[in-house]
Amino acid sequence: MKVTAAVLRELNKSLSVEELNLEAPKEKEVLVKIDAFGICHSDYHVVTGLAQQELPVVLGHEGAGTILEVGQGVTDLEIGENVLLNWFPYCKKCQACTAGNTNHCKTYMRMLGQGKMLDGTTRLTDAKGNSIFQLSGLACWSSHVVVPDIICTKMPKGTPPEVAALIGCAVTTGVGAVLNQASVHEGASVLVYGSGGVGLSIIMGAVLAGAEKIIAVDRSLEKEAMAFSVGATHFIHADENTLQNVKDLTDGLGVDYAFDAVGNPKIAEMLLPSLRERGMGILVGVPPTDSKIQIDATDLFRQEKCMTGTIYGSADTAVDFERFAQMYLEGKLPIEQLISKNYSIDQINDACQEMLDGNIARGVVTFP
């Protein structure tokens, strides 16, 4: 079938919106009509070459849609079901999975991480018959995709596709960082560097955890209202006085938990000085490959502080996707507040640029 997709053919170049050929699903695969996908900075890491991916490739790892066709051997998915696409499926059998660390399962990453299906091939070709890679095995910056059935997670009835799409990355990464990795305690003080989709999701998670003081930091003043809309109690405009402003808001002590939602090594180095004694700093944003940070070992030792990271919110996606969707439906997670602007796929380059400008939380592309 013919599909419309955003293709990256050269690093640091604009995406081209093209008509591609999509093969029918093979065994244990499904055809999904994409209803909505989010514009995530992690996708743009491919454009810059920070995330190494063979080209040409259709980007997109944060999407949701409707199943149109199922291949042989698919038993737990049906035509017409609404699904969220999971860029990090797990096997339930390896050492990581049996230890409860499903977000570290490597079973499917060899092929999906290369932008291929599990049989080592792709389902997309261009007009000349050339293969097109599918980022993370998804390629959801497209009108339709063929993906392995293990990538699909059914959504509770009534979950809007744009909300489901954001649960597939930003929400799970941010809320999961708070609830799963940091285990933020009730009454805590929380600091969040960065108020994009992930940072705002961290704020929502802090509200769920019962944090008392939630301080958002961002270089864009446009983010202040967004941060307050999802539960921040304070906002700091990032400048050379940021650390002092954090101390002023916390009686000179620092916060219990500090999150880097940006993935910037310089921000990561600010986590430790932002903490009070026995505080925890958490790296949430994706840092540049092989980047290094310097910390004050004496401060770490004497104040018994902790630094850690989290990938995909340390989530068990089979549980957390549905949990977060249900929280949204119950009014506990205002995920719709993350959506700053809706686009068509023809506006994909504008959507990427506005994401880079830092003045929106999450841009979402929807299809009729």
Side-chain angles (χ1 to χ4, degrees):
M1 67 180 295
K2 302 292 186 182
V3 302
T4 302
V7 184
L8 176 67
R9 292 191 174 274
E10 295 183 64
L11 295 180
N12 297 302
K13 299 292 185 181
S14 296
L15 298 160
S16 58
V17 178
E18 305 178 21
E19 184 178 79
L20 301 178
N21 300 305
L22 179 63
E23 290 184 43
K26 297 183 179 180
E27 185 176 5
K28 302 292 287 183
E29 295 177 352
V30 296
L31 169 65
V32 179
K33 174 192 175 294
I34 297 296
D35 296 319
F37 65 77
I39 308 298
C40 178
H41 208 287
S42 295
D43 291 297
Y44 205 78
H45 288 333
V46 181
V47 178
T48 62
L50 181 61
Q52 297 178 356
Q53 166 65 55
E54 191 172 351
L55 306 181
V57 63
V58 174
L59 302 181
H61 69 282
E62 187 180 73
T66 306
I67 293 180
L68 298 185
E69 183 179 345
V70 298
Q72 291 185 350
V74 176
T75 59
D76 59 347
L77 296 170
E78 297 180 359
I79 293 172
E81 287 185 318
N82 297 318
V83 294
L84 178 162
L85 303 182
N86 176 11
W87 61 269
F88 209 141
Y90 60 86
C91 70
K92 303 181 183 179
K93 299 176 183 178
C94 68
Q95 187 277 332
C97 287
T98 55
N101 303 318
T102 58
N103 64 319
H104 289 279
C105 178
K106 303 296 190 297
T107 302
Y108 304 114
M109 289 302 101
R110 185 174 66 85
M111 285 303 172
L112 298 182
Q114 293 176 11
K116 301 176 182 178
M117 296 294 96
L118 296 177
D119 64 1
T121 65
T122 67
R123 299 292 168 268
L124 289 169
T125 54
D126 62 17
K128 296 181 180 179
N130 300 312
S131 293
I132 307 292
F133 293 98
Q134 301 174 230
L135 185 68
S136 299
L138 278 72
C140 57
W141 287 12
S142 176
S143 60
H144 300 76
V145 296
V146 165
V147 296
D149 61 349
I150 56 167
I151 274 176
C152 298
T153 301
K154 297 180 216 180
M155 284 287 94
K157 289 184 178 180
T159 307
E162 54 269 38
V163 168
L166 299 192
I167 291 173
C169 184
V171 172
T172 296
T173 297
V175 177
V178 173
L179 302 183
N180 298 328
Q181 179 69 316
S183 297
V184 169
H185 65 271
E186 189 173 355
S189 54
V190 172
L191 174 66
V192 184
Y193 285 105
S195 297
V198 172
L200 295 174
S201 296
I202 293 172
I203 293 171
M204 290 193 295
V207 172
L208 277 173
E212 184 174 302
K213 182 174 289 184
I214 305 172
I215 306 169
V217 179
D218 201 278
R219 59 186 173 86
S220 172
L221 289 173
E222 300 287 336
K223 297 292 182 62
E224 182 173 6
M226 299 179 198
F228 283 127
S229 74
V230 295
T233 59
H234 300 78
F235 182 87
I236 295 174
H237 182 219
D239 58 21
E240 65 276 6
N241 299 314
T242 296
L243 282 173
Q244 185 56 53
N245 290 332
V246 171
K247 291 298 179 74
D248 290 344
L249 286 173
T250 56
D251 300 321
L253 298 174
V255 296
D256 295 302
Y257 304 90
F259 296 83
D260 169 19
V262 180
N264 186 317
K266 292 189 179 298
I267 293 177
E269 290 177 347
M270 295 173 67
L271 294 184
L272 209 64
S274 302
L275 297 171
R276 63 175 298 155
E277 69 279 0
R278 297 186 66 81
M280 176 184 288
I282 304 97
L283 305 178
V284 185
V286 180
T289 303
D290 298 326
S291 57
K292 304 291 190 296
I293 62 173
Q294 290 185 323
I295 61 175
D296 185 337
T298 301
D299 186 27
L300 189 74
F301 167 70
R302 292 188 181 278
Q303 299 298 316
E304 296 187 320
K305 297 177 181 179
C306 175
M307 287 277 285
T308 188
T310 175
I311 183 169
Y312 214 178
S314 304
D316 180 341
T317 54
V319 175
D320 286 336
F321 283 166
E322 185 175 356
R323 176 167 68 126
F324 296 152
Q326 196 60 47
M327 286 178 175
Y328 163 78
L329 294 172
E330 294 171 359
K332 297 176 182 178
L333 274 179
I335 297 173
E336 73 283 353
Q337 295 291 339
L338 302 183
I339 304 172
S340 300
K341 192 171 181 178
N342 289 285
Y343 303 87
S344 69
I345 194 168
D346 292 327
Q347 298 171 307
I348 190 67
N349 289 300
D350 293 336
C352 289
Q353 187 57 55
E354 293 189 27
M355 178 267 296
L356 293 173
D357 290 341
N359 295 324
I360 65 173
R362 215 36 154 214
V364 173
V365 172
T366 55
F367 291 91

